[in-house]
Amino acid sequence: MKNNIKRLRVNYGLTQDELAEQLAVSRQTIISLEKERYNPSIKLAFKLSRIFSCTIEDIFIYEED
Amino acid sequence: MKKNRKTMENQLLFLLTGLFVTGVAIYITINQLLNRQFPMGLALMALGVNQLLMVYLSPHLFPKDERAKTIIGKSMVVNYFVIFGSIFLLFFVAGFSGIHWGAQQVLIFLAAILLVTIPSTMVFYARRI
């Protein structure tokens, strides 16, 4: 799934390590999310939306197969 | 930052133990193979390979990390089939060849298979996910 995590993270001035720490996940998870190789759980998506103060739809772009 | 340092320490530890155990296992296994005996050092060698694979895996596997849980879950599904495949292979070997292994040798073989395939499949999924 496409997402805007990298753009939002850079806008908020966060490093991958800092974002990983706030989300309580590993840096590898952030790397995978940014490379769009991994789709997060709904819980992690909500955490991301809280950190970036936006809706889940603003972070993730849903595309039908 | 603390986590990264801990990860690097773990990687170094896995590398050192992996190299040591693999070295010892090669020494033992070569000796047994030259004497045409079952390589009892097979499980030890698998353990060494396991440690070396953990060097790559340790930055990917953290407790409470959901990606790590996904990697472990997918790897376990594959290994469920690997263990059944290995058992069927052993049935086949026992039934259609002149090789007759004892219980300890079968256990060593199965342990070696699992010690290598579990981290190998985790490495595969860690690279994909």
Side-chain angles (χ1 to χ4, degrees):
Chain A
M1 194 185 285
K2 288 188 175 178
N3 65 64
N4 301 313
I5 295 171
K6 190 173 183 180
R7 187 176 57 79
L8 287 162
R9 179 178 62 77
V10 173
N11 285 350
Y12 273 75
L14 291 168
T15 63
Q16 287 178 333
D17 262 326
E18 287 165 347
L19 183 59
E21 208 170 310
Q22 286 191 40
L23 290 167
V25 295
S26 67
R27 195 172 77 92
Q28 296 296 331
T29 302
I30 304 299
I31 294 167
S32 283
L33 284 169
E34 288 186 357
K35 284 185 178 173
E36 296 167 356
R37 287 195 307 210
Y38 177 66
N39 292 327
S41 66
I42 193 75
K43 197 176 169 185
L44 191 61
F46 271 106
K47 278 185 180 178
L48 279 163
S49 73
R50 294 256 169 92
I51 288 169
F52 296 134
S53 309
C54 60
T55 63
I56 290 174
E57 286 88 347
D58 293 330
I59 303 172
F60 297 97
I61 300 137
Y62 177 71
E63 288 172 323
E64 282 195 52
D65 292 329
Chain B
M1 285 292 163
K2 233 180 218 177
K3 202 187 259 183
N4 284 348
R5 198 175 160 183
K6 184 80 184 155
T7 307
M8 282 177 74
E9 282 173 11
N10 285 343
Q11 278 184 305
L12 187 67
L13 198 67
F14 279 128
L15 183 67
L16 292 174
T17 55
L19 289 173
F20 176 72
V21 173
T22 310
V24 172
I26 288 169
Y27 176 74
I28 293 169
T29 312
I30 282 176
N31 217 10
Q32 287 168 339
L33 285 174
L34 288 174
N35 293 326
R36 296 189 174 205
Q37 292 172 335
F38 177 84
M40 297 297 257
L42 194 69
L44 196 64
M45 192 183 283
L47 186 68
V49 174
N50 178 296
Q51 298 284 292
L52 292 175
L53 287 167
M54 284 305 289
V55 175
Y56 178 84
L57 274 178
S58 56
H60 295 271
L61 300 179
F62 280 100
K64 292 181 186 174
D65 181 39
E66 61 172 56
R67 181 174 163 270
K69 283 178 191 166
T70 309
I71 290 168
I72 294 166
K74 287 191 174 197
S75 168
M76 287 305 134
V77 171
V78 172
N79 279 284
Y80 169 81
F81 293 104
V82 166
I83 190 77
F84 276 110
S86 308
I87 290 168
F88 280 118
L89 180 76
L90 286 173
F91 271 128
F92 190 78
V93 167
F96 297 99
S97 77
I99 300 167
H100 297 290
W101 284 355
Q104 199 182 7
Q105 289 164 331
V106 170
L107 287 174
I108 285 170
F109 177 77
L110 288 177
I113 292 280
L114 284 184
L115 278 169
V116 174
T117 53
I118 290 172
S120 302
T121 47
M122 280 187 196
V123 166
F124 173 78
Y125 283 116
R127 288 178 70 88
R128 279 193 63 169
I129 301 172

